[in-house]
Amino acid sequence: QVQLQESGPGLVKPSETLSLTCTVSGGSINNYLWTWIRQPAGKGLEWIGHISTSGRTNFNPSLKSRVTMSIDTSKSRFSLRLTSVIATDTAIYYCARGEALYPLDVWGQGTTVTVSS
Amino acid sequence: EIVLTQSPGTLSFSPGESATLFCRASQNIVTSYLAWYQQKPGQAPRLLIYSASSRAIGIPARFYGSGSGTDFTLTISGLEPEDFAVYYCLQYDSSPHTFGQGTRLDIK
């Protein structure tokens, strides 16, 4: 079955850029909305945004000025970049699969990113 | 942005009992694109219900979703020990997609 795996640095310095990649295995990357969600420790879930396999993006307005996403269908992976990070960007970051008319049904295990000097 | 408010914040029940969780939207979700997730400590959320009332693949029949418009519920009948977790609702009707703040279901 489809599996997602997040990867990237676990520690990022304040004002720098957080970069994560999600690799899709066991299924096609095509025709889905590939999504990033984050969750500060002990808190709720925040939808960051998604990217389609055609490269169309949709971001949470609260993060839009700092977020970019990209996708490489040939390598079955997609990425998140969050610039100018601050301490409150510290969270578990999840990647997940969704569709236009269907919610997030496959999730990665999550990766913890800490913003600290 | 559609704000989802879940209630109560915490529920305490014994195994075998039934629990009802609530999710209220700040705007009408005309499409009923409302999902419910279960999250256990150290795990990613798991999809339980989509389109307000359809169970996802492999989800037991004791999980029942209902509602429309702005008011949605998740009922869990005959609580099993593995059901004690945090539950979130998600609206995927409009952007940005938004989650409720969660309801914790504890063992009494």
Side-chain angles (χ1 to χ4, degrees), chain A residues 33 35 37 39 42-47 50 58-62 94 99-105 107-110, chain B residues 1 33 35 37 39 42-47 49-51 55-57 88 90 92 95-101 104:
Chain A
L33 296 175
T35 306
I37 307 98
Q39 184 174 37
K43 297 189 177 181
L45 300 159
E46 180 180 29
W47 183 83
H50 63 224
N58 193 357
F59 302 140
N60 192 322
S62 68
Y94 294 100
E99 296 182 53
L101 305 180
Y102 195 74
L104 307 169
D105 64 340
W107 293 61
Q109 64 186 23
Chain B
E1 172 177 326
Y33 286 161
Y37 291 84
Q39 187 178 34
Q43 296 184 15
R46 178 174 73 140
L47 177 65
I49 301 289
Y50 66 96
S51 295
R55 273 188 300 276
I57 295 171
Y88 294 95
L90 163 73
Y92 53 105
S95 184
H97 297 180
T98 47
F99 291 91
Q101 82 278 20
R104 179 181 303 279

Side-chain angles (χ1 to χ4, degrees), chain A residues 60-71:
Chain A
N60 192 322
S62 68
L63 297 168
K64 189 173 184 177
S65 64
R66 298 194 291 133
V67 171
T68 56
M69 292 184 186
S70 59
I71 190 165

Side-chain angles (χ1 to χ4, degrees), chain B residues 21-58:
Chain B
L21 289 64
F22 300 93
C23 178
R24 172 164 286 179
S26 62
Q27 301 171 36
N28 191 359
I29 303 177
V30 176
T31 58
S32 290
Y33 286 161
L34 189 289
W36 289 93
Y37 291 84
Q38 176 194 69
Q39 187 178 34
K40 297 179 180 179
Q43 296 184 15
R46 178 174 73 140
L47 177 65
L48 302 174
I49 301 289
Y50 66 96
S51 295
S53 59
S54 297
R55 273 188 300 276
I57 295 171

Side-chain angles (χ1 to χ4, degrees), chain B residues 8-21 38-41 76 79-87 102-108:
Chain B
T10 304
L11 281 172
S12 296
F13 284 99
S14 299
E17 294 185 304
S18 295
T20 299
L21 289 64
Q38 176 194 69
Q39 187 178 34
K40 297 179 180 179
I76 312 169
L79 286 162
E80 297 284 348
E82 62 267 27
D83 297 338
F84 294 92
V86 179
Y87 292 82
T103 291
R104 179 181 303 279
L105 180 56
D106 286 340
I107 298 178
K108 185 184 290 184

